[in-house]
Amino acid sequence: MHLLSLVAAFAGFASALPSAEPHILHEKRDGLPVAWRHHSRAERSTVLPVRIGLKQRNLEHGSRYVADVADPKSPNFGKHWSAEKVANAFMPSQETTDKVTNWLVTSGISANRLSHSVGRNWIEFTATVDETERLLKTQYHVYQQKESKGYRIACDDYSLPQSVRGYVDFVMPTVQLDGLKPVSQASPALQAGPHNNITGLTGIEYCDQVITIDCLRAIYGIPVASTNHSGNELGIAEWADYLYLPDLKVFFENFTSPKIPANVTPDFISIDGGKTSNLSLALLEEVVESALDFQTSYSIIYPQGIRQYQNGDSINVDSVGTFNIFLDALDGSYCSYEGGDQPYIDPAYPDPNEYGYTGPLQCGGAPMSNVFSVSYGQIEGALPRFYQERQCHEWMKLALQGVSVIYASGDSGVANRYNSGYNNTCLNADLGYVDQFGAKFSPSFPVNCPYITSVGATTLLNSSIYGGEQAVAAPNGPLSFYSGGGFSDIFERPSWQADAVQNYLDKYSPKNYTDIQFNHSGRAFPDVSALGLNLATVWTSNATRGPQLYGVGGTSASAPIFASIITLLNEERLGQGKGPIGFLNPTIYAHPEMFYDVTVGSNPGCGTPGFPAAPGWDPVTGMGTPIYPKMKDVFCGLP
């Protein structure tokens, strides 16, 4: 991340002072995160891209709207909204736009400097540090990231006039600092192998060594797929990892049943410079995540296809912006060409770096899938609250449109992984920022959002596929692995999981855990789980210089398994003339009979044993692992 260039002059800036109306504190950072330090005062002439997030209408009704189409008891179950209806329902009111525009104009920001996002959710303009300081009654500083030595411009707090505070969600750049790339939930450190023989491990005899499609079908009752309704392709999103097609071909030849033709490949959808893989990337071991995601999913859903959403150019990998550029590409109303995403957290396109993507930020145009599987995550405590709320609102809008969004819950138990580095990074108990030695549990993002289905990981309880499952535990190696789970500090617990979670808190949660460790009233995750250790995966490494079989671990394995099962269930519903299921969670919690209850194991972290698995829902394995025939009975029995 480069420091904004200092500009000596900027033509057209007004010299008028802001309105004399008293300002009221709008946002304040609670201390400086340990990863950052004050470097210097920002130069007054530095130009900032200022973006003002306008209050959207009806967001307070979002959960009610979603329940109307996703609650299995609702007469409107499955009557999903169109994209146009969603946009019209949440667009900011004209009064909101007028109030904020009038404030800016009377404060010296002329109307011809203002622009609006496609969805009218943002007002943006450029202004010098001096002008922005007067507008927001604040002071801007240059901050330096201690590890990367990169710089950002931000302030410690800012204020708005009383007359506009109710119309503004937030202003940026202001108090934001931490912005981290999505972290893959598959780790080469957790692999078994390479196995000497890439053949001969099929069937159910060797499931204690590698989990193949034969094992998955036997354990979960998954049928052999036979249909491929148009438009029901599974969507898999990738960031700093790439699908190496020669590995896919070898996997098809040896580990699919019936055998998938060697020429089958996913539909490639490049978002903001997303690129295909090559041997050099494979030898850098930047292919493991994609290999796991696509090989696992194809083995379950073929002949149905997969869409590969490859996000961001690799040049911008340290600032790929969590998941905003993906949402931008799906919904043009979520972004504007210049604005919408957050400066210093989301990447800028065109990318000024050498070999970077030179096109504009993609706004809309990517096809929408019925089911998305994402095996990446981030740290709730490392990103601003409003940033996460903004994304969660967009996941809510996708839920209204009948989209199932499925994320891996994380691989660090009640802790988290900071930029693929420290495995046991927690939070400071007093201020909530990322702290390697913190005592507070560290929830993950975006599985903290109630409109996402979060998937934890299990493993076989013993060598038999008929002996049940336990929460995954892989404590050895450079990075230990435990199923991610916990409670959000930002999002409240939704009604559909209230009873199940309260049952756990009353009966099974360790009584020595207080609010210092976790928020007892927060959105709880994961929702479900699936096998996440020793999944058969073929990939080319620098050590082998050719495709080899590994048993790969991570909730990265669990998420595509569950997403593939939902894709098969949608195939069943489409064959009945019905629509896709859409948002899953209300039905998941209403029908515990659809899952094998996992009651063995825990998810340690932050110097504690974490949470224990228990009867019913628990913050290690959720409601349990899938029983396909019972899921089919429930979901295909709904309208």
Side-chain angles (χ1 to χ4, degrees):
M1 181 61 64
H2 298 285
L3 181 65
L4 287 176
S5 59
L6 304 181
V7 179
F10 189 87
F13 279 142
S15 60
L17 291 174
S19 165
E21 179 184 355
H23 279 49
I24 297 175
L25 185 69
H26 195 69
E27 275 195 295
K28 181 179 180 180
R29 186 192 306 111
D30 293 326
L32 188 64
V34 292
W36 294 87
R37 68 178 184 89
H38 281 95
H39 179 270
S40 60
R41 277 280 273 127
E43 291 287 340
R44 296 176 61 189
S45 59
T46 300
V47 176
L48 301 176
V50 181
R51 296 171 175 87
I52 299 177
L54 303 179
K55 291 277 189 185
Q56 299 181 72
R57 292 183 300 123
N58 296 320
L59 288 176
E60 69 276 16
H61 302 306
S63 61
R64 178 167 58 85
Y65 293 159
V66 172
D68 189 48
V69 299
D71 188 327
K73 298 178 182 177
S74 170
N76 293 319
F77 179 89
K79 297 179 180 179
H80 302 125
W81 292 20
S82 67
E84 182 180 12
K85 182 176 179 179
V86 169
N88 290 336
F90 298 104
M91 185 179 295
S93 68
Q94 189 62 48
E95 179 185 12
T96 295
T97 301
D98 291 344
K99 285 280 188 181
V100 177
T101 299
N102 290 339
W103 163 57
L104 293 172
V105 171
T106 58
S107 299
I109 311 296
S110 59
N112 61 7
R113 291 169 56 189
L114 306 178
S115 60
H116 297 264
S117 65
V118 176
R120 310 297 292 182
N121 301 332
W122 301 86
I123 293 178
E124 70 170 17
F125 56 94
T126 52
T128 61
V129 164
D130 177 62
E131 195 170 24
T132 310
E133 287 183 341
R134 290 187 284 115
L135 186 70
L136 302 178
K137 302 294 186 185
T138 189
Q139 289 187 347
Y140 278 88
H141 297 267
V142 176
Y143 298 83
Q144 186 176 35
Q145 216 278 344
K146 294 178 181 178
E147 182 178 351
S148 69
K149 308 301 182 184
Y151 297 92
R152 292 188 182 174
I153 293 179
C155 59
D156 292 325
D157 57 52
Y158 67 96
S159 302
L160 296 174
Q162 175 68 38
S163 62
V164 299
R165 287 187 74 239
Y167 299 97
V168 173
D169 273 336
F170 51 84
V171 181
M172 54 193 193
T174 50
V175 300
Q176 316 85 32
L177 279 174
D178 278 317
L180 311 169
K181 67 182 181 182
V183 175
S184 164
Q185 306 302 340
S187 174
L190 306 174
Q191 297 167 115
H195 292 276
N196 292 327
N197 188 358
I198 202 168
T199 63
L201 291 175
T202 54
I204 61 174
E205 183 180 353
Y206 304 100
C207 297
D208 59 329
Q209 299 180 44
V210 287
I211 300 293
T212 65
I213 181 58
D214 300 305
C215 305
L216 292 174
R217 286 176 179 152
I219 294 168
Y220 295 145
I222 302 171
V224 175
S226 60
T227 61
N228 58 338
H229 288 87
S230 177
N232 193 42
E233 294 85 355
L234 171 62
I236 296 179
E238 302 288 350
W239 275 260
D241 204 273
Y242 308 88
L243 179 63
Y244 188 51
L245 294 178
D247 291 342
L248 191 63
K249 179 179 178 180
V250 174
F251 179 84
F252 287 167
E253 175 68 23
N254 293 282
F255 292 99
T256 59
S257 175
K259 189 175 297 184
I260 298 176
N263 63 347
V264 170
T265 58
D267 295 333
F268 185 78
I269 300 161
S270 175
I271 296 174
D272 293 334
K275 60 184 64 176
T276 56
S277 185
N278 53 47
L279 181 59
S280 63
L281 289 172
L283 298 182
L284 289 172
E285 300 190 355
E286 294 180 353
V287 298
V288 183
E289 177 63 67
S290 292
L292 175 60
D293 292 344
F294 285 86
Q295 292 173 19
T296 300
S297 298
Y298 264 126
S299 70
I300 296 172
I301 70 170
Y302 185 81
Q304 185 50 271
I306 301 178
R307 292 169 175 156
Q308 177 185 355
Y309 298 80
Q310 193 69 46
N311 291 272
D313 61 38
S314 59
I315 305 302
N316 236 331
V317 68
D318 288 327
S319 161
V320 292
T322 64
F323 309 104
N324 269 343
I325 63 172
F326 178 50
L327 290 169
D328 289 338
L330 293 176
D331 180 5
S333 69
Y334 184 58
C335 63
S336 67
Y337 171 58
E338 286 105 358
D341 296 335
Q342 177 161 345
Y344 319 124
I345 290 182
D346 295 310
Y349 294 111
D351 183 349
N353 292 286
E354 187 177 9
Y355 307 120
Y357 170 60
T358 58
L361 174 71
Q362 183 171 343
C363 289
M368 188 72 75
S369 293
N370 292 330
V371 179
F372 285 109
S373 177
V374 185
S375 294
Y376 294 76
Q378 234 336 312
I379 302 174
E380 181 183 83
L383 294 165
R385 180 188 186 98
F386 63 74
Y387 184 85
Q388 297 177 67
E389 289 176 339
R390 177 176 183 261
Q391 280 198 20
C392 191
H393 291 152
E394 188 70 6
W395 301 122
M396 177 266 291
K397 295 174 186 177
L398 293 184
L400 278 172
Q401 295 174 69
V403 178
S404 304
V405 181
I406 296 165
Y407 267 78
S409 71
D411 291 350
S412 302
V414 296
N416 235 305
R417 196 175 294 167
Y418 191 87
N419 266 11
S420 301
Y422 302 117
N423 184 228
N424 195 37
T425 299
C426 302
L427 301 177
N428 181 280
D430 296 321
L431 300 177
Y433 56 73
V434 177
D435 183 349
Q436 184 184 357
F437 305 104
K440 187 175 180 63
F441 297 166
S442 180
S444 294
F445 164 78
V447 293
N448 56 351
C449 173
Y451 303 105
I452 281 173
T453 299
S454 170
V455 187
T458 62
T459 187
L460 296 180
L461 188 58
N462 52 49
S463 60
S464 170
I465 62 172
Y466 305 109
E469 297 169 67
Q470 62 182 328
V472 75
N476 301 317
L479 294 176
S480 58
F481 166 36
Y482 298 100
S483 182
F487 298 78
S488 173
D489 291 317
I490 291 178
F491 298 103
E492 295 180 354
R493 183 170 309 136
S495 59
W496 36 259
Q497 71 168 185
D499 290 344
V501 174
Q502 194 59 51
N503 178 71
Y504 180 85
L505 293 174
D506 290 343
K507 297 180 180 179
Y508 306 111
S509 178
K511 301 308 177 187
N512 60 322
Y513 292 170
T514 68
D515 287 340
I516 292 177
Q517 279 76 36
F518 71 96
N519 173 22
H520 290 63
S521 61
R523 157 35 170 170
F525 66 94
D527 301 300
V528 294
S529 54
L531 286 164
L533 195 64
N534 293 332
L535 266 291
T537 308
V538 173
W539 63 281
T540 297
S541 71
N542 188 45
T544 62
R545 313 293 291 192
Q548 293 290 325
L549 172 66
Y550 293 81
V552 179
T555 50
S556 279
S558 312
I561 289 173
F562 196 80
S564 296
I565 286 174
I566 300 304
T567 299
L568 290 185
L569 292 171
N570 278 338
E571 284 288 309
E572 303 268 13
R573 286 178 57 87
L574 292 168
Q576 295 176 342
K578 299 177 180 179
I581 298 166
F583 181 48
L584 302 167
N585 293 0
T587 306
I588 285 173
Y589 285 84
H591 290 278
E593 74 274 12
M594 296 192 298
F595 304 97
Y596 294 110
D597 193 6
V598 180
T599 60
V600 178
S602 63
N603 56 355
C606 303
T608 75
F611 294 106
W617 179 90
D618 59 67
V620 190
T621 62
M623 296 296 288
T625 58
I627 305 173
Y628 186 91
K630 293 186 178 181
M631 295 182 75
K632 178 182 175 181
D633 289 344
V634 170
F635 283 113
C636 291
L638 292 171

